[in-house]
Amino acid sequence: MALTEVKVPDIGDFKEVDVIEVLVKPGDAVREEQSLITVESDKATMEIPSPATGVVKELRVKTGDKVSQGSPILVLEAAGAVAKGPSQRAALPAPAPPRPAPAAPAAQAPPLSRPGPVLYEAAPAAGSTPHASPSVRKFARELGVDLARVKGSGPKGRVTQTDVQEFVKGIMRGAPAGPAARGGLSLDLPDWPQVDFAKFGPIEIRALSRIRKLAGGNLRRNWVGIPHVTQHDEADITELEAYRKEQAQVAEKQGFKLTLLAFLVEACANALKQFPDFNASLDRTGENLIVKKYFHIGVAVDTPEGLVVPVIRDADRKGVFDLARELAEISKRAREKKLKPDDMRGGTFSISSLGGIGGTGFTPIINAPEVAILGVSRSQVRPVFKDGAFVPRLILPLSLAYDHRVIDGAAAARFTTYLASVLSDFRRTLL
Ligand code: CAO
């Protein structure tokens, strides 16, 4: 076991460079080629690796010192043979071959010949690439942390290892971090596949409509930003449908159609009153729930240009006839592209009904900042076992997607169970 002073090796033309990180401390066991310090000039950041495996006995530099070739770094108790030449992992630009180091003052053994320093181009202080040393970058990479999301506490906003650790701790505690807190997300995904489709058959290129492009961005944000869960349930609407048909004749005489959707809006307003957390939004910090005392229900309308969601205001204060009239009016305006931005604002909950088209269930995307959306599929007459016999009943599938940050599965199951009971026993509950 020889005590040896490790010195700054040949680092090319760089002189008086800043020590920006000391990566080891006395008592640390280090492996050959493990980085000991990071130095930085205007042009490059370099890590100086250990020339041998051993134990750090004494540090001879600290963060902020200026060093040049030959400056002492630390005293190492080397465990075995010492590296004889520059490291194979030297990065760009390739360091000059090491020169014989001058004799160490008071060295107990000759200085070690060293692996070359590992150089990296200095990261710009501003812009998308954050300022961080190679070892911090490596550390972040190992943990899957996107450095652009980490706030640097070092000089010039440099991201330190502690910053990365604190960032990860924050994520583990569930705190929003970096751009995520502002509603943005940075997903480290592979590039989108680039395919020349024409190679495989004839194609046609059609530009997306303005509505589709706008909706697409919002849908993507909501899909990736909200932990969705969908609770499926069924409502027996046999009696409700009989009542609707009966009343539809009255409505028809007045010039409008009494649709199932009007009853669904009414039933949802009722359920939202019983379960206020579903009529709420998270605030920007993600730490408070804003519970709304009004019940404005958005209804997804399919138009040739794409999906729009006009809002029925104060749905809880309107009867099914008024709701049906308003639904007919807003879906007509939606299809004629006559909705104003205000017609689509202020919703507290949404309904997406595909029942007129078909399907047995689906997973709707929550319309942020709302926390839940009800998907409705096509009702079917099915045999239901009741009082000892199978009887034909009209069954409506419900799919409630909810934000799991706000709503638990048990609450969601209670909500749909309640909603189904309201729809099944509409006259008693709502009329
Ligand atoms: N089960 C069975 N039949 C249903 C039904 C259901 N759940 N809902 C409606 N129907 C039937 C109606 O009885 C009606 O039949 P008739 O023409 O024989 O009377 C027909 O379907 C059309 O229904 P409707 O006139 O009542 O219209 P609606 O209330 O179903 O829909 C609207 C209105 C605006 C919601 C609809 O036109 C629409 O745009 N739906 C698509 C919404 C959408 O795209 N959602 C997806 C969002 S996620 O991408």
Side-chain angles (χ1 to χ4, degrees), residues 204-261:
E204 175 200 337
I205 294 174
R206 252 191 295 141
L208 292 184
S209 70
R210 198 181 61 86
I211 289 182
R212 205 172 286 279
K213 278 193 277 190
L214 272 174
N218 292 340
L219 288 166
R220 179 173 183 271
R221 177 201 58 206
N222 300 346
W223 181 245
V224 300
I226 302 172
H228 282 71
V229 181
T230 306
Q231 172 73 16
H232 299 283
D233 212 333
E234 293 178 333
D236 182 336
I237 57 163
T238 314
E239 263 101 51
L240 172 62
E241 185 60 6
Y243 176 75
R244 186 186 74 83
K245 280 193 173 144
E246 193 186 295
Q247 295 298 313
Q249 293 170 4
V250 180
E252 209 177 314
K253 286 194 190 119
Q254 295 179 24
F256 66 95
K257 200 171 163 187
L258 184 60
T259 63
L260 175 65
L261 196 54

Side-chain angles (χ1 to χ4, degrees), residues 257 259 261 300-302 335 352-356 377-379 396:
K257 200 171 163 187
T259 63
L261 196 54
V301 178
D302 181 36
R335 292 195 175 107
S352 173
S353 172
L354 293 173
S377 296
R378 193 166 188 78
S379 59
L396 180 74

Side-chain angles (χ1 to χ4, degrees), residues 258-332:
L258 184 60
T259 63
L260 175 65
L261 196 54
F263 290 87
L264 287 166
V265 171
E266 177 106 347
C268 284
N270 182 280
L272 292 171
K273 279 196 166 169
Q274 304 296 322
F275 297 87
D277 286 6
F278 289 75
N279 200 56
S281 291
L282 278 174
D283 73 0
R284 286 183 76 78
T285 65
E287 289 176 9
N288 302 294
L289 199 59
I290 302 165
V291 180
K292 288 156 247 176
K293 308 287 180 181
Y294 49 86
F295 301 87
H296 299 345
I297 297 187
V299 175
V301 178
D302 181 36
T303 78
E305 306 294 312
L307 188 70
V308 288
V309 189
V311 173
I312 306 261
R313 280 167 211 283
D314 299 311
D316 59 316
R317 296 199 218 148
K318 295 174 180 165
V320 282
F321 275 61
D322 287 338
L323 290 170
R325 260 193 226 103
E326 198 170 331
L327 280 165
E329 192 257 328
I330 53 165
S331 49
K332 180 163 174 280

